[in-house]
C-alpha cells in the first residue's frame, strides 16, 4: 500500500515537472546593439543548433514563443556593408562573437541585446512603462507609416489629458521618439540597402552600355524632359533650351546657337599659339598625361574690363560672359568670371573607326559627384560648346543618367553638379564621356565653373584635389 502511494506520488511529480518544463513562454527581444544578429535554439540532447530567426537588424524589436529551460545562442553576423563584426576583423581568433541565454521565467521574459552581444535579462512589466508602445504590436514591423500614425495618435490623445504636467509631457516626448524609432528605423535601413543595391546594378549596366552607345555613331540625342526659351540680356537673342535632366543637384541642358561662328573662330586662332597634349588630374593634387583623355588643348583667358565687360568687344570674353549668364540663370548663385579657370579649347582628330587608340575622353566627373557637400573653391558646373562637329563619333554621353547628346555646331551642353540650396553635389548622374572621334575633327570650348573663387583666391590657388596650395605644401 505504501509502495503504491510513493509510485503514484512520483508519477504525479513527474507529470508536474513535465508540465512545468512544457510551459510556453513568450520571449520579447530588443536588439540595442549596432550589430546584425541571429538566434539559434540549442538541442539539449545533441547540443546541435537550429536557426530560429536570422538577419535581425540593429534596433529591431521582436518576439517568439519558447518553453522553460530552453537554451539559445545569439550569433553576431558580419555587417552586410563592411563584412566585419563589431568593426573588427577578428576577436580572440574568431570572426564573430557568440553568446547564449536560457528561458528561466514565465509566462514571459525579456532580453536586451547590447553592444558586444552582451545579453541583459529583463522582466516585462504590466504597468504602463511606455505609454505609446503598450498597445502596438511590434512583433513584425512591416508598415512603418502605420506605426508612425499610431504613435502620433496616442501622443496627441495623452497630451490633451495631462493638464500641464511638464514631467509627463517630457515622458511622452521621449517615448514618442522611441516609438518612431522602433517603427521607422528598420524599414529605413532596409529601404536604403535596397536603393544602394539597385544603384549598383544600374551603374554596372550603364558601364556595359557605354561602349555600345558610343560605337553607335548614328544615335541621336536623348529625348527632352522639358523645353524652354532663354533670352540673353547680353545680346538680346532668344535661344531654345533642351533639358535632358533637371534634378536639383544634377542638370543637363542643351542650348541651341549658344556660340557664333566668329566666336568659335576667335577661340581657334588664339588656341593655335599654345596647343599641347591634354592632361588629367593624377589623384595626388597634380596632373598627368593619360590615354583616358586623348586630345589637344589650350587654355585662353578672356579679356575683361575692370567693370566685367568684354575688353574692346573681345569675342572670347563675350562668349565667356554668356556662359556665366546662363549659369546664373539656372543656379542663381551670383557667379562671375573673377578667379575662374580660362576657357579651354579642346581638339580631337579622327583616324578611322579601326584606330585602337582614338581621340576620346573616357567616363569621368568634372567635379565631385558622390553626393557629399561641395568643397569651397571646387568646380560645380561645366559648359561644353561645340564649334566643329566630326563626321563620325564625338558625342557626349552621360552613361549613369541615360542621356546621350549629339550636338549641333554652335550648341552648348551645360551640366551642373551641385544643389544650390543645400551645396550637396551630384551623385554620379553627371558622370560623362566624350565618345571616340572616328572621322573628321571635333573642336569644342569648355568652361569649368567654380564656386568659391575670386580675384584674391583664384582657381590657381587650389590643386586638383581642391586643396589650397598654401595648405598642401606646394
Amino acid at each position: 500500500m505504501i509502495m503504491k502511494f510513493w509510485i503514484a506520488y512520483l508519477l504525479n511529480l513527474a507529470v508536474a515537472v513535465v508540465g512545468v518544463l512544457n510551459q510556453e513562454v513568450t520571449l520579447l527581444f530588443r536588439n540595442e546593439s549596432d550589430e546584425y544578429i541571429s538566434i539559434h535554439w540549442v538541442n539539449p540532447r545533441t547540443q546541435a543548433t537550429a536557426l530560429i530567426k536570422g538577419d535581425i537588424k540593429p534596433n529591431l524589436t521582436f518576439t517568439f514563443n519558447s518553453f522553460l529551460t530552453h537554451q539559445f545562442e545569439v550569433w553576431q553576423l558580419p555587417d552586410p556593408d563592411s563584412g566585419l563584426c563589431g568593426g573588427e576583423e577578428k576577436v580572440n581568433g574568431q570572426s564573430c562573437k557568440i553568446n547564449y541565454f536560457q528561458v528561466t521565467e514565465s509566462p514571459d521574459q525579456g532580453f536586451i541585446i547590447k553592444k558586444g552581444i552582451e545579453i541583459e535579462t529583463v522582466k516585462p512589466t504590466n504597468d504602463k512603462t511606455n505609454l505609446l508602445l503598450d498597445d502596438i504590436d511590434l512583433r513584425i514591423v512591416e508598415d512603418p507609416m502605420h506605426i508612425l500614425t499610431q504613435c502620433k495618435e496616442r501622443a496627441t490623445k495623452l497630451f490633451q489629458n495631462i493638464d500641464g504636467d511638464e514631467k509627463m509631457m517630457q515622458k511622452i516626448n521621449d517615448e514618442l521618439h522611441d516609438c518612431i524609432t522602433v517603427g521607422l528605423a528598420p524599414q529605413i535601413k532596409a529601404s536604403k540597402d535596397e536603393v544602394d543595391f539597385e544603384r549598383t546594378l544600374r551603374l554596372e549596366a550603364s558601364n556595359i552600355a557605354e561602349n555600345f552607345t558610343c560605337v553607335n555613331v548614328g544615335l541621336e540625342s536623348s529625348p527632352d524632359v522639358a523645353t524652354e526659351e532663354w533670352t540673353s540680356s547680353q545680346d538680346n537673342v532668344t535661344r531654345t533650351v533642351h533639358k535632358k535632366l533637371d534634378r536639383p543637384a544634377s542638370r543637363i541642358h542643351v542650348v541651341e546657337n549658344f556660340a557664333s561662328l566668329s566666336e568659335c573662330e576667335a577661340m581657334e586662332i588664339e588656341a593655335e599659339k599654345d596647343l599641347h597634349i591634354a592632361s588629367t588630374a593624377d589623384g595626388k593634387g597634380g596632373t598627368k598625361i593619360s590615354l583616358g583623355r586623348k586630345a589637344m588643348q589650350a587654355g585662353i583667358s578672356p579679356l575683361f574690363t575692370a567693370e566685367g565687360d568684354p575688353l574692346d568687344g573681345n569675342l572670347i570674353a563675350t562668349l565667356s560672359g554668356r556662359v556665366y549668364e546662363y549659369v546664373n540663370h539656372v543656379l542663381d548663385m551670383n557667379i562671375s568670371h573673377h578667379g575662374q579657370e580660362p576657357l579651354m579649347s579642346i581638339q580631337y582628330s579622327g583616324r578611322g573607326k579601326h584606330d585602337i587608340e582614338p581621340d576620346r575622353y573616357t567616363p569621368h566627373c568634372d567635379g565631385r559627384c558622390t553626393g557629399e557637400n561641395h568643397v569651397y573653391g571646387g568646380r560645380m558646373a561645366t559648359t561644353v560648346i561645340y564649334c566643329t562637329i566630326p563626321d563620325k563619333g564625338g558625342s557626349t554621353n552621360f552613361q549613369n543618367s541615360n542621356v546621350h547628346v549629339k550636338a549641333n555646331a554652335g550648341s552648348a551642353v551645360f551640366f551642373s553638379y551641385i544643389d544650390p540650396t543645400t551645396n550637396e553635389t551630384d551623385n554620379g548622374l553627371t558622370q560623362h564621356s566624350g565618345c571616340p572621334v572616328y572621322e573628321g575633327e571635333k573642336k569644342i570650348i569648355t568652361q569649368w565653373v567654380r564656386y568659391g573663387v575670386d580675384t584674391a583666391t583664384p582657381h590657381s590657388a587650389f590643386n586638383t584635389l581642391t586643396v589650397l596650395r598654401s595648405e598642401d605644401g606646394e
Side-chain angles (χ1 to χ4, degrees):
M1 188 72 178
I2 295 176
M3 181 62 70
K4 289 182 179 180
F5 169 81
W6 282 110
I7 291 175
Y9 175 80
L10 292 175
L11 286 174
N12 289 332
L13 181 60
V15 170
V17 170
V18 171
V20 171
L21 295 180
N22 288 334
Q23 184 172 349
E24 188 170 357
V25 179
T26 299
L27 304 181
L28 298 94
F29 297 86
R30 179 167 177 80
N31 181 15
E32 290 187 352
S33 72
D34 293 327
E35 310 292 332
Y36 283 71
I37 61 174
S38 60
I39 293 182
H40 304 253
W41 175 67
V42 180
N43 189 309
R45 290 178 298 172
T46 65
Q47 298 303 301
T49 59
L51 178 65
I52 299 298
K53 186 173 180 62
D55 196 28
I56 300 168
K57 300 176 176 62
N59 300 313
L60 185 65
T61 298
F62 59 95
T63 68
F64 62 80
N65 294 329
S66 183
F67 299 90
L68 278 174
T69 75
H70 279 208
Q71 194 174 56
F72 298 83
E73 289 183 350
V74 179
W75 293 9
Q76 183 184 45
L77 302 178
D79 184 281
D81 295 326
S82 68
L84 303 179
C85 287
E88 300 176 357
E89 294 190 14
K90 288 194 178 278
V91 179
N92 297 326
Q94 295 184 351
S95 58
C96 295
K97 293 181 180 180
I98 296 177
N99 206 344
Y100 72 94
F101 64 90
Q102 189 168 21
V103 182
T104 58
E105 299 179 24
S106 64
D108 49 37
Q109 190 170 8
F111 300 90
I112 298 176
I113 315 299
K114 298 195 170 184
K115 184 177 180 181
I117 314 302
E118 295 296 324
I119 303 173
E120 179 181 345
T121 303
V122 296
K123 176 65 179 175
T125 58
N126 293 323
D127 59 357
K128 296 293 182 179
T129 55
N130 194 308
L131 301 173
L132 303 182
L133 289 173
D134 272 347
D135 299 324
I136 300 177
D137 186 358
L138 296 175
R139 299 181 185 186
I140 303 177
V141 180
E142 293 182 346
D143 186 354
M145 295 311 297
H146 180 61
I147 296 294
L148 180 59
T149 299
Q150 291 185 72
C151 291
K152 182 179 178 180
E153 288 176 351
R154 283 166 171 72
T156 301
K157 185 176 180 180
L158 288 168
F159 271 125
Q160 292 172 346
N161 295 305
I162 59 177
D163 194 25
D165 186 336
E166 293 186 5
K167 185 175 181 180
M168 184 60 71
M169 290 177 66
Q170 184 61 48
K171 178 178 176 61
I172 294 172
N173 182 70
D174 293 342
E175 292 180 0
L176 178 60
H177 173 271
D178 293 341
C179 188
I180 293 174
T181 300
V182 170
L184 296 183
Q187 198 72 11
I188 290 173
K189 178 63 168 63
S191 297
K192 181 182 181 301
D193 290 344
E194 184 66 20
V195 170
D196 290 344
F197 174 69
E198 295 289 349
R199 182 173 185 272
T200 299
L201 293 181
R202 176 171 58 80
L203 293 179
E204 291 176 355
S206 68
N207 189 50
I208 294 172
E210 163 73 13
N211 289 335
F212 290 97
T213 302
C214 282
V215 168
N216 186 359
V217 295
L219 185 64
E220 296 298 326
S221 294
S222 303
D224 298 349
V225 296
T227 305
E228 70 175 22
E229 301 296 317
W230 170 66
T231 302
S232 167
S233 61
Q234 182 191 75
D235 56 15
N236 203 34
V237 173
T238 298
R239 297 171 170 87
T240 301
V241 178
H242 302 274
K243 296 183 178 181
K244 306 296 183 181
L245 182 71
D246 208 38
R247 300 175 65 84
S250 316
R251 306 169 198 257
I252 304 172
H253 299 174
V254 179
V255 186
E256 292 183 8
N257 303 313
F258 190 87
S260 67
L261 179 61
S262 56
E263 289 167 345
C264 284
E265 288 177 345
M267 271 293 295
E268 186 174 346
I269 293 171
E270 195 67 26
E272 285 179 357
K273 306 173 185 177
D274 190 34
L275 275 178
H276 57 277
I277 298 174
S279 60
T280 62
D282 62 5
K284 301 176 182 178
T287 59
K288 65 178 180 179
I289 304 298
S290 169
L291 285 177
R293 185 186 184 198
K294 194 175 179 190
M296 302 294 288
Q297 69 177 27
I300 309 298
S301 296
L303 301 177
F304 291 95
T305 65
E307 292 75 26
D309 299 319
L311 182 63
D312 298 327
N314 182 274
L315 290 175
I316 296 175
T318 299
L319 180 61
S320 179
R322 191 175 304 131
V323 169
Y324 298 115
E325 184 184 5
Y326 189 74
V327 170
N328 288 323
H329 164 69
V330 177
L331 301 178
D332 193 24
M333 296 178 68
N334 195 30
I335 302 297
S336 73
H337 70 279
H338 295 292
Q340 298 286 348
E341 297 181 58
L343 285 166
M344 188 68 69
S345 175
I346 306 174
Q347 302 181 17
Y348 302 81
S349 297
R351 292 175 292 277
K353 199 165 185 178
H354 298 292
D355 184 2
I356 61 174
E357 294 181 353
D359 282 11
R360 67 176 303 175
Y361 200 170
T362 54
H364 63 283
C365 292
D366 286 351
R368 299 198 173 205
C369 63
T370 53
E372 73 268 42
N373 287 333
H374 173 266
V375 175
Y376 205 64
R379 293 173 178 173
M380 56 83 177
T382 301
T383 300
V384 178
I385 304 163
Y386 276 78
C387 286
T388 301
I389 304 299
D391 298 325
K392 289 184 179 180
S395 297
T396 303
N397 192 49
F398 297 83
Q399 62 182 66
N400 295 335
S401 54
N402 197 30
V403 171
H404 182 78
V405 177
K406 188 177 183 180
N408 299 315
S411 294
V413 181
F414 163 87
F415 50 100
S416 57
Y417 25 98
I418 187 174
D419 183 337
T421 61
T422 66
N423 276 5
E424 291 181 353
T425 59
D426 162 53
N427 197 13
L429 293 178
T430 61
Q431 178 176 304
H432 60 286
S433 64
C435 291
V437 175
Y438 296 117
E439 295 181 11
E441 290 185 312
K442 171 185 174 182
K443 296 181 180 180
I444 60 175
I445 302 169
T446 297
Q447 179 71 72
W448 293 291
V449 182
R450 294 179 179 242
Y451 176 55
V453 295
D454 52 30
T455 303
T457 311
H459 75 92
S460 56
F462 300 88
N463 65 19
T464 56
L465 294 175
T466 322
V467 176
L468 283 168
R469 297 186 188 279
S470 60
E471 296 177 1
D472 75 349
E474 292 188 21

